Each structure stands twice: as structure tokens, then as C-alpha cells.
Amino acid sequence: MTDAEEHIQAARRLYNHKVESLNSTIDTFPGNLVNQLAKRERAAFYEAESQQRNNPHINW
């Protein structure tokens, strides 16, 4: 169970890192010119809702 949680956390960190990189590219020159033409928008970071942050109850 702990191993799965660690993999999920790692995937969230990787996703948020990629979103940060994409948003930086969209915001800085010359990427901002290209992205305006392509009509790309900033991506949202992953943030778990309060219900999702609680440990799940698993029936074995």
C-alpha cells in the first residue's frame, strides 16, 4: 500500500513539474509568440481535493 502511494506521489510531482515547464514556455519569449498563434493556454497544476487527501478505506 505504501509503495503504491509513493508511486502516486511521484506521478503527481512529475505532472506538476511538466505543467510548470509548459507554463514557463507559454509565458516567456519566443514561446509566447508561438503559443499565442497556436492558441495554447496555461495548464492547471494537479491538486487533490480535501476528500482525496484522506487515506482511503480498503476492504480486504
Side-chain angles (χ1 to χ4, degrees):
M1 182 77 154
T2 304
D3 190 43
E5 290 173 354
E6 289 176 5
H7 285 289
I8 292 170
Q9 287 178 353
R12 288 178 185 157
R13 284 192 305 271
L14 178 63
Y15 173 82
N16 283 337
H17 176 72
K18 296 295 183 178
V19 167
E20 181 179 9
S21 177
L22 172 67
N23 289 343
S24 292
T25 301
I26 289 173
D27 291 341
T28 56
F29 183 82
N32 60 349
L33 299 175
V34 174
N35 289 308
Q36 284 177 354
L37 294 173
K39 299 189 188 290
R40 287 191 182 162
E41 296 181 4
R42 293 176 52 89
F45 288 103
Y46 178 82
E47 189 171 327
E49 296 176 9
S50 61
Q51 292 175 348
Q52 293 173 330
R53 292 178 190 204
N54 297 334
N55 292 334
H57 178 70
I58 299 175
N59 295 325
W60 295 96

